Amino acid sequence: MSTNDFNYQLYSYKDSLHSFAISFTRDVEDANDLVQDTMLKAINYSTHFKEGTNFKAWLYTIMKNTFINNYRRATKTNSIMTVTDEITSDKLHYSASVNDSDGKFVMEDIYKALSKLQPEYYIPFLKYFEGFKYYEIAEQLDIPIGTVKTRIHVARQLLKKSLKMHYQTVLPKVA
């Protein structure tokens, strides 16, 4: 399929994509963003589209996966950060004293631990941490996806081991 045909067909499904996006997001602005992300991904991965495949189903799959990944990312972010309207003086004092001193030392230890990782573990781990998917890392590094998963797992284990003292203070052992 030529690029013009692909783009024309993609644009012809914009309205149905928008309707589908609203069923996910329940918000017009979020639906517009989801449609835009879907169309952008479809254009970026147009070489992966196989002729004879249902184009609309392919687009819907991209949209569904994009929505799920964004939801997971938002859920993960919300579970890490606690949002509160009130900042008590206890929290202010704790934040001011801990952020400058402990945080600096912890970050130094993390950077040291990362620098000790061999490149075959460091690079996939860093790319995954930056938000790349396993298959994207595999494509970029030209290695099998299973190898990417293994290297990220090994990197996590090595980091846990070298940051054990911080890991235990953040996540105390339950007896």
Side-chain angles (χ1 to χ4, degrees):
M1 177 183 305
S2 73
T3 305
N4 287 339
D5 292 339
F6 183 88
N7 291 340
Y8 177 76
Q9 198 169 0
L10 177 63
Y11 188 75
S12 70
Y13 286 111
K14 186 176 182 182
D15 291 337
S16 65
L17 283 173
H18 193 266
S19 298
F20 193 52
I22 287 178
S23 71
F24 281 127
T25 63
R26 310 267 190 247
D27 180 71
V28 175
E29 291 302 315
D30 290 339
N32 289 338
D33 291 343
L34 184 57
V35 169
Q36 185 177 6
D37 288 346
T38 302
M39 293 179 81
L40 184 61
K41 284 183 180 182
I43 291 169
N44 286 339
Y45 294 105
S46 62
T47 56
H48 295 282
F49 178 74
K50 306 236 186 316
E51 284 207 48
T53 305
N54 184 339
F55 193 77
K56 185 176 182 179
W58 184 71
L59 291 173
Y60 278 23
T61 302
I62 291 172
M63 178 175 283
K64 178 187 73 158
N65 291 338
T66 301
F67 176 78
I68 290 169
N69 290 337
N70 290 345
Y71 177 79
R72 285 180 182 158
R73 193 173 295 123
T75 303
K76 197 176 200 180
T77 302
N78 289 340
S79 70
I80 293 171
M81 297 185 304
T82 304
V83 179
T84 179
D85 292 337
E86 288 184 30
I87 300 177
T88 63
S89 59
D90 291 351
K91 290 179 184 173
L92 256 171
H93 176 70
Y94 177 77
S95 175
S97 62
V98 170
N99 282 345
D100 285 342
S101 58
D102 292 345
K104 183 177 178 183
F105 292 118
V106 170
M107 287 308 296
E108 285 176 4
D109 289 344
I110 290 172
Y111 287 127
K112 283 179 191 174
L114 282 170
S115 70
K116 290 178 184 175
L117 288 177
Q118 295 173 355
E120 63 261 18
Y121 299 118
Y122 174 77
I123 294 169
F125 178 80
L126 187 63
K127 288 189 175 295
Y128 181 76
F129 184 73
E130 290 172 348
F132 288 95
K133 306 287 181 268
Y134 290 127
Y135 73 90
E136 293 172 328
I137 299 167
E139 287 175 3
Q140 289 177 9
L141 300 178
D142 196 29
I143 56 176
I145 195 166
T147 305
V148 169
K149 290 178 180 181
T150 301
R151 289 181 181 177
I152 291 170
H153 175 74
V154 169
R156 282 183 184 145
Q157 298 308 313
L158 292 170
L159 288 172
K160 274 185 185 178
K161 193 179 292 181
S162 55
L163 297 170
K164 192 173 188 174
M165 67 179 153
H166 298 295
Y167 184 71
Q168 287 176 342
T169 58
V170 174
L171 300 171
K173 283 189 175 180
V174 179

